[in-house]
Amino acid sequence: MKAAVHTSYGPPNVVRVAEVEKPAAKDNQVLVKVHATTVNRTDSALRAAKPFINRFFTGLTRPRVTVLGNEFAGEVEAVGRGVTSFEVGDRVFGYNGTRFGAHAEYLAMPEDGSLATMPANLTFEEAAASTEGSHYALAMIRKAKLLSGQDVLVYGATGAIGSAAVQLLKHLGAKVTAVCDSEHVELVRGLGADRVIDYTAEDFTKDTQTYDVVLDAVGKSSFGRCKRLLKPRGIYLSSDLGPLSQNPILALITPLLRGKKVLFPIPRDDQEMVR
Ligand SMILES: NC(=O)c1ccc[n+]([C@@H]2O[C@H](COP(=O)([O-])OP(=O)(O)OC[C@H]3O[C@@H](n4cnc5c(N)ncnc54)[C@H](OP(=O)(O)O)[C@@H]3O)[C@@H](O)[C@H]2O)c1
């Protein structure tokens, strides 16, 4: 089969299309014929090994994963002997954030991995592009144990994570204020945001409203800058480590102080997320 392969770190031109061995479905696996995938921020960061620290997880001198692609949609081509929840011909989509491999004609996924049957009204392209951002957004929203009616501010509301967060938060009944640049104001309103702050015209950290949750989906703020936006027991969440990697450390300390706190979930691939 054909796959987009990279055997060294670097810019996009280190990737080339090559013939590789087609995977076979093991007993507990589903073989998916990939119809659509994405090149997202995570693929690009792994390919470029940026930041450098990535190499400690992905291979010090050369990448251990040579075929990237973590979002996919396609058709089940074959199932292993033990598989009961998928059949040949099913249209499926999902997320393969630990093993990648979707930039190829075929991808083998464990039956209990992050994949599900596609809603009938979606195209392969729409389904493939909908999983990674919502995976991270949902992990943050679950961690905050959000209640209907709560006030939430989403910074970076137009990105993969931010746009998923706005839609999921509205679905859960939150009142959402979204922060984005001027050209995306209408897009974000269309996703359901109740109020939009244009960050090119206004510093959102000076907003007079206070929030139960501030969700930074672009990793460009800090707990210190956003603290005054939070209600007394408010929660700050970020998709990034923050200045000097402070967010995971603050997530250990601030919950002990019973006031405003930082939460930093470690998202796990799970089938429920895709469903
Ligand atoms: N925790 C994890 O494991 C994990 C995984 C993936 C990504 N991340 C982090 O999450 C962040 C977002 O990822 P993503 O995949 O959603 O990225 P993305 O799709 O590229 O979205 C980034 C968004 O940020 C907005 N933006 C850019 N500069 C901005 C600024 N100065 N102020 C406010 N918004 C700005 C852009 O929207 P506008 O055009 O409206 O400015 C863009 O839509 C990244 O920083 C990444 O490091 C973390």
Side-chain angles (χ1 to χ4, degrees), residues 40-42 132-133 136 155-163 179-184 199 216-220 238-240 264-265 267:
N40 61 27
R41 206 204 145 274
T42 305
E132 199 219 16
Y136 288 114
Y155 180 39
T158 55
I161 300 174
S163 60
V179 185
C180 65
D181 75 2
S182 2
E183 65 180 295
H184 295 133
Y199 69 71
D216 179 354
V218 63
K220 289 195 187 293
S238 174
S239 63
D240 227 300
F264 196 78

Side-chain angles (χ1 to χ4, degrees), residues 102-243:
H103 291 170
E105 288 182 288
Y106 295 92
L107 172 72
M109 283 289 292
E111 178 186 21
D112 61 358
S114 297
L115 85 163
T117 308
M118 273 172 54
N121 61 341
L122 287 192
T123 64
F124 289 121
E125 288 81 359
E126 288 168 332
S130 69
T131 55
E132 199 219 16
S134 35
H135 168 73
Y136 288 114
L138 194 53
M140 290 199 272
I141 291 167
R142 281 176 175 166
K143 188 78 178 177
K145 299 194 172 76
L146 201 105
L147 302 172
S148 177
Q150 286 192 314
D151 294 301
V152 183
L153 179 137
V154 180
Y155 180 39
T158 55
I161 300 174
S163 60
V166 171
Q167 294 169 82
L168 290 165
L169 287 163
K170 285 309 298 174
H171 175 72
L172 294 170
K175 286 181 269 167
V176 177
T177 297
V179 185
C180 65
D181 75 2
S182 2
E183 65 180 295
H184 295 133
V185 168
E186 286 314 310
L187 168 83
V188 170
R189 283 215 178 94
L191 297 178
D194 300 284
R195 196 178 143 228
V196 182
I197 299 176
D198 172 357
Y199 69 71
T200 63
E202 211 179 314
D203 178 353
F204 78 94
T205 64
K206 305 240 160 51
D207 192 19
T208 49
Q209 190 181 330
T210 54
Y211 299 89
D212 298 286
V213 176
V214 169
L215 191 161
D216 179 354
V218 63
K220 289 195 187 293
S221 72
S222 66
F223 179 51
R225 276 183 67 214
C226 294
K227 212 168 170 183
R228 56 174 299 283
L229 294 173
L230 294 171
K231 294 181 185 177
R233 304 291 294 266
I235 295 170
Y236 174 80
L237 293 155
S238 174
S239 63
D240 227 300
L241 297 170

